[in-house]
């Protein structure tokens, strides 16, 4: 029955592409979370009136974040081809998409982290500082716990954006559902392949959104 409606779909290839998309999304989301969190905390703590207040460091970090989050992803992929080839040894396949995915998403998430930290009640921070709390204590016992719902919400949005990035990376042969939809579907005029690939991408997005919303509800104590 399914073969009747989708005659051109190779389901084994479709499953393999789905696994590649999940692999690229999950690995890049983990690294994006770590790097973006570090950048966001650095931006926050080096801001005026905070523990590491440093105008130069804050300006440089903010400039780097703004530059990379402003570059359209498809252009970023092209710009990073020499770097990717040097680092990975190839510009094709799921691993080759990782540098562009992480570099494209981490600055975006860093801004979300900064916004989340700025929403923390200043009284809580002042209380921790007046008690002589170390910087590490303030970060891990105050900043992260207080902003966790917003951080999870932010990484959910970023992960969904990364699914879209993997689809765009498919245009240069990065693998996954994007490659299948473009090369095997669009370029060969196989509309059913493109349609199924799109539906599977949407399913991945819905699952990520559901998981993120569930986690936020569990963590939000308000």
């Amino acid at each position: 029955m399914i073969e009747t409606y989708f005659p051109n779909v190779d389901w084994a290839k479709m499953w393999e592409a789905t696994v590649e998309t999940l692999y690229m999304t999950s690995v890049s989301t983990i690294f994006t979370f770590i790097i973006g969190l570090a950048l966001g905390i650095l931006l926050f703590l080096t801001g005026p009136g905070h523990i590491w207040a440093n105008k130069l460091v804050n300006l440089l970090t903010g400039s780097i974040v703004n530059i990379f989050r402003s570059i359209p992803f498809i252009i970023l992929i092209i710009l990073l081809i020499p770097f990717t080839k040097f680092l990975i040894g190839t510009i094709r396949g799921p691993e080759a998409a990782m540098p562009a995915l992480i570099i494209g998403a981490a600055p975006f998430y860093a801004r979300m982290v900064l916004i989340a930290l700025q929403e923390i009640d200043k009284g809580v921070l002042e209380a921790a500082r007046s008690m002589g709390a170390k910087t590490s204590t303030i970060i891990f016992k105050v900043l992260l716990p207080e902003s966790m719902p917003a951080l999870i919400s932010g990484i959910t949005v970023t992960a969904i954006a990364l699914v879209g990035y993997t689809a765009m990376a498919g245009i240069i042969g990065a693998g996954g559902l994007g490659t299948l939809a473009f090369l095997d579907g669009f370029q060969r005029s196989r509309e059913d392949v493109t349609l199924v690939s799109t539906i599977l991408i949407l399913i991945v997005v819905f699952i990520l959104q559901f998981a993120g919303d569930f986690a936020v509800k569990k963590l939000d104590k308000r």
Side-chain angles (χ1 to χ4, degrees):
M1 178 68 76
I2 294 178
E3 286 75 10
T4 304
Y5 293 104
F6 306 106
N8 299 307
V9 176
D10 183 332
W11 293 101
K13 190 182 290 186
M14 191 66 70
W15 171 248
E16 182 182 352
T18 303
V19 171
E20 287 178 344
T21 293
L22 291 172
Y23 168 71
M24 286 187 286
T25 302
S26 58
V27 173
S28 58
T29 298
I30 291 169
F31 280 97
T32 293
F33 180 77
I34 295 169
I35 297 170
L37 188 63
L39 286 172
I41 291 173
L42 182 62
L43 279 170
F44 180 76
L45 293 181
T46 56
H50 293 292
I51 305 171
W52 294 343
N54 187 308
K55 191 173 182 179
L56 179 61
V57 173
N58 188 266
L59 179 63
L60 289 174
T61 306
S63 298
I64 292 170
V65 166
N66 288 335
I67 289 170
F68 280 100
R69 78 188 183 103
S70 300
I71 301 174
F73 183 71
I74 194 66
I75 296 175
L76 184 64
I77 294 176
I78 297 169
L79 290 175
L80 289 175
I81 283 177
F83 175 71
T84 301
K85 197 166 185 178
F86 169 77
L87 192 66
I88 308 296
T90 179
I91 60 169
R92 301 183 70 84
E95 285 78 15
M98 294 298 178
L101 290 171
I102 296 167
I103 292 173
F108 174 76
Y109 182 58
R111 277 295 169 189
M112 289 191 164
V113 171
L114 177 60
I115 293 170
L117 296 177
Q118 288 174 335
E119 291 178 352
I120 296 174
D121 187 349
K122 291 182 180 180
V124 177
L125 290 172
E126 290 299 327
R129 292 175 66 176
S130 65
M131 292 172 65
K134 296 180 181 178
T135 302
S136 58
T137 302
I138 291 175
I139 292 173
F140 293 105
K141 298 293 185 181
V142 180
L143 294 181
L144 295 184
E146 288 291 324
S147 63
M148 191 55 67
L151 295 179
I152 297 300
S153 180
I155 198 62
T156 301
V157 172
T158 307
I160 290 171
L162 279 166
V163 175
Y165 288 171
T166 64
M168 282 188 275
I171 294 175
I172 62 165
L177 292 166
T179 295
L180 201 64
F182 182 70
L183 298 180
D184 206 39
F186 176 74
Q187 287 199 332
R188 296 185 180 182
S189 298
R190 295 175 174 175
E191 290 81 7
D192 53 342
V193 175
T194 304
L195 176 62
V196 173
S197 299
T198 304
I199 290 171
L200 288 173
I201 288 173
L202 288 173
I203 290 172
V204 171
V205 168
F206 289 150
I207 291 172
L208 285 172
Q209 188 65 65
F210 175 80
D213 290 344
F214 179 80
V216 169
K217 286 180 182 177
K218 286 291 184 182
L219 290 168
D220 197 343
K221 305 301 181 183
R222 291 176 295 179

